[in-house]
Amino acid sequence: MVATLKVEYNLDMNLEQLKNQTILLLGKPRAFSQEEFLEQIKVHNITVTKELSEAGEYVLEGRMMTPYEQHLSDDLYEKGGYTFLSIDDFEKLLAEEIDDAILLMSLKLSNDKDRLKSFLQNGCIPDSLFFKLLGMYSWGKEDFFENDDNRDVTAALIGRFYENIERNHNVQYATTGLIHLVSQTDNAELLEAISKLEPLAKHPKLTILLAQHPKTPKQVLKKFLRSGDRDVMEAIARNSAIDSAIIKELSKDETYATILAQNIDLSEESFELLEAFNEALALNETLSSEMQKRLLALDQESIKESLAKNRAATQETLSFLAKDADNRLQEALLQNPNIDKVYLQKAFDEGVMHTAIAKNPALPSDIAQELFEKGDSVVLDALSRNEATPVDILYQLQLDSRFERAVKTNAAFGKHIQSENIGWLI
């Protein structure tokens, strides 16, 4: 096999410089179809040829070069006097110069579904154009993967926006790929685009994910509200970022109001609006210290227990609760990541509720070690599931068949294994 030369591409080229030029094209386009590629360069008065005798100084290296083309490229590079261009960089320049309005009108008038799909599969076009084109696509009242065209468009959507798609290409061809995409993204424009897709009506779980996503635009949530679907309404109530108008509308229903009280980002206005649902409010992790004081002043056991479970409870609140805590309240306090380490250590030394301590999401490593050494099976099971348990302890627990499964499903341990790229111990 003959070694090929490593060509240095011109990265500062722009299409204006290439106007009225005839470029030697070696190989094929990558992002554009051959026909579309020729249409796009024609707009810029650029032509391509396969014949060296017809070309000027520019050489465009595409994909799938033949052995002859590769040999010719090497010869021209060694000879010198030619400017080499990469097909990827060249196609990006073409994509950046596409006139959205002209393209959209052309597609609308021609009703050319294949050309539309080709553009949707083109990774070079900007997201703004992609969303416009996606809005034009007709799903034919069929599902995301129900026919070849729908499958290709859905795969293009997932492939464009899915994080680390190179690690798992298979997600492009399954509805779970869309579910994961919605879960991982913070792109409001993407969420809105997905909310408008016709097949969404066939996927209530995906609609619920959109409804409770904090980045889903308000206009989408208001559209969902008008549907009257109770599962979707509950999902909106769990959305921490909904606006005051939606809060007021949902708070008219006691079920939604209870969910709102626990989940929304509280303002003084919404706190007062939902004050009747104080037990749920006490679980809300956006409570200010002043709001916590007002709830404590009600002196209700159910509110105290909710505050003891609240990960955003202040040290002042937790200290107040710890002064006169019964067993139920103490168990909740020991599992709160904000509880003072001194309180945890004291409970450990007194032999109190070791299982509750082992569940604390901010469990100090020294206390974890002491709990591990005690060898209580219930406590060890809690340590196996706790993401705060030190990795070296988790490794030891994994060797015990009683806790192996719990350790393998521990997210922190999974991330450690992935980051170390060492695979699971067998």
Side-chain angles (χ1 to χ4, degrees):
M1 182 176 180
V2 179
T4 59
L5 297 174
K6 184 173 177 59
V7 173
E8 292 184 10
Y9 295 121
N10 186 318
L11 302 178
D12 299 320
M13 189 60 58
N14 61 63
L15 294 179
E16 191 64 33
Q17 292 172 269
L18 298 173
K19 276 190 175 180
N20 303 314
Q21 296 286 337
T22 298
I23 301 173
L24 178 64
L25 173 61
L26 303 178
K28 300 178 180 180
R30 188 186 306 278
F32 292 96
S33 67
Q34 183 73 26
E35 184 180 0
E36 190 63 50
F37 179 80
L38 295 176
E39 283 293 323
Q40 291 302 320
I41 63 172
K42 184 178 178 182
V43 172
H44 301 282
N45 295 321
I46 300 170
T47 57
V48 293
T49 181
K50 291 289 187 178
E51 301 298 327
L52 179 60
S53 60
E54 299 173 0
E57 66 173 287
Y58 296 104
V59 178
L60 179 59
E61 289 198 327
R63 66 182 179 90
M64 295 177 65
M65 286 195 292
T66 65
Y68 167 76
E69 288 174 321
Q70 185 64 65
H71 183 71
L72 177 59
S73 171
D74 292 345
D75 285 348
L76 295 177
Y77 187 69
E78 281 190 323
K79 180 179 179 182
Y82 290 91
T83 301
F84 282 78
L85 307 172
S86 157
I87 191 65
D88 294 330
D89 295 331
F90 186 73
E91 286 181 319
K92 284 177 184 176
L93 290 175
L94 288 176
E96 289 169 1
E97 295 296 324
I98 291 174
D99 187 310
D100 291 11
I102 292 175
L103 175 62
L104 294 172
M105 182 58 70
S106 172
L107 288 168
K108 184 176 181 180
L109 292 174
S110 67
N111 197 28
D112 189 337
K113 190 171 185 177
D114 288 337
R115 188 179 181 215
L116 172 59
K117 191 176 81 168
S118 177
F119 269 103
L120 286 168
Q121 293 175 306
N122 187 331
C124 288
I125 65 171
D127 291 347
S128 57
L129 176 56
F130 178 85
F131 290 130
K132 293 174 186 175
L133 295 169
L134 185 63
M136 290 182 66
Y137 181 76
S138 173
W139 297 87
K141 297 183 180 179
E142 296 189 0
D143 209 344
F144 290 115
F145 299 99
E146 200 165 340
N147 60 57
D148 289 346
D149 287 336
N150 287 7
R151 181 203 62 205
D152 291 343
V153 171
T154 305
L157 169 65
I158 297 171
R160 173 178 280 263
F161 295 103
Y162 196 96
E163 293 177 10
N164 300 318
I165 187 67
E166 63 280 355
R167 291 185 180 178
N168 187 7
H169 288 285
N170 292 334
V171 298
Q172 289 179 261
Y173 303 101
T175 306
T176 51
L178 280 170
I179 291 171
H180 292 159
L181 177 60
V182 169
S183 300
Q184 70 181 208
T185 190
D186 285 328
N187 186 330
E189 199 173 1
L190 171 59
L191 294 170
E192 181 171 12
I194 293 173
S195 77
K196 294 177 179 178
L197 300 181
E198 182 186 304
L200 182 67
K202 303 176 186 289
H203 297 275
K205 183 177 179 180
L206 193 54
T207 303
I208 286 171
L209 280 176
L210 287 165
Q212 64 191 20
H213 198 296
K215 293 294 184 179
T216 298
K218 295 174 186 176
Q219 62 269 23
V220 174
L221 295 178
K222 289 176 179 177
K223 181 185 75 173
F224 286 161
L225 275 176
R226 291 193 291 271
S227 74
D229 185 297
R230 288 195 69 83
D231 290 336
V232 175
M233 304 273 267
E234 284 192 21
I236 295 173
R238 296 182 195 281
N239 188 324
S240 62
I242 54 177
D243 65 15
S244 58
I246 295 177
I247 292 171
K248 287 177 182 177
E249 180 64 29
L250 288 174
S251 66
K252 296 173 184 176
D253 183 293
E254 186 173 332
T255 299
Y256 304 145
T258 302
I259 298 170
L260 285 167
Q262 184 174 337
N263 291 281
I264 62 171
D265 286 343
L266 289 168
S267 63
E268 186 61 34
E269 179 187 9
S270 57
F271 180 82
E272 291 178 0
L273 177 68
L274 299 166
E275 208 157 7
F277 305 91
N278 43 49
E279 188 175 334
L281 277 173
L283 290 167
N284 192 303
E285 295 185 3
T286 66
L287 285 170
S288 67
S289 58
E290 182 57 36
M291 291 173 185
Q292 292 178 37
K293 289 177 183 177
R294 286 160 65 177
L295 289 170
L296 282 172
L298 297 173
D299 196 26
Q300 294 180 19
E301 291 306 312
S302 59
I303 294 176
K304 289 180 181 178
E305 188 175 342
S306 291
L307 283 170
K309 296 175 181 176
N310 192 327
R311 294 185 175 209
T314 63
Q315 283 296 327
E316 185 179 0
T317 294
L318 295 175
S319 297
F320 179 86
L321 293 170
K323 286 178 183 176
D324 190 28
D326 59 18
N327 286 347
R328 196 168 171 180
L329 191 57
Q330 187 176 23
E331 184 176 5
L333 288 168
L334 289 171
Q335 293 180 60
N336 192 307
N338 284 345
I339 197 69
D340 194 291
K341 182 185 174 181
V342 173
Y343 187 79
L344 284 179
Q345 188 67 57
K346 184 173 182 291
F348 173 81
D349 292 341
E350 293 175 355
V352 174
M353 298 184 182
H354 282 182
T355 304
I357 297 172
K359 293 178 180 179
N360 191 297
L363 180 65
S365 57
D366 56 339
I367 296 180
Q369 183 63 41
E370 292 180 272
L371 287 168
F372 174 69
E373 291 171 0
K374 289 281 185 183
D376 183 286
S377 62
V378 177
V379 174
L380 293 179
D381 184 71
L383 286 174
S384 300
R385 301 172 191 278
N386 191 342
E387 294 182 29
T389 301
V391 169
D392 59 328
I393 293 177
L394 291 174
Y395 271 121
Q396 295 177 72
L397 289 168
Q398 188 198 358
L399 299 175
D400 189 320
S401 60
R402 294 174 298 170
F403 314 117
E404 180 183 8
R405 182 175 179 80
V407 173
K408 284 189 174 183
T409 56
N410 185 313
F413 191 67
K415 286 179 182 176
H416 168 75
I417 293 295
Q418 189 177 54
S419 66
E420 296 294 324
N421 196 27
I422 56 180
W424 293 105
L425 296 178
I426 303 298

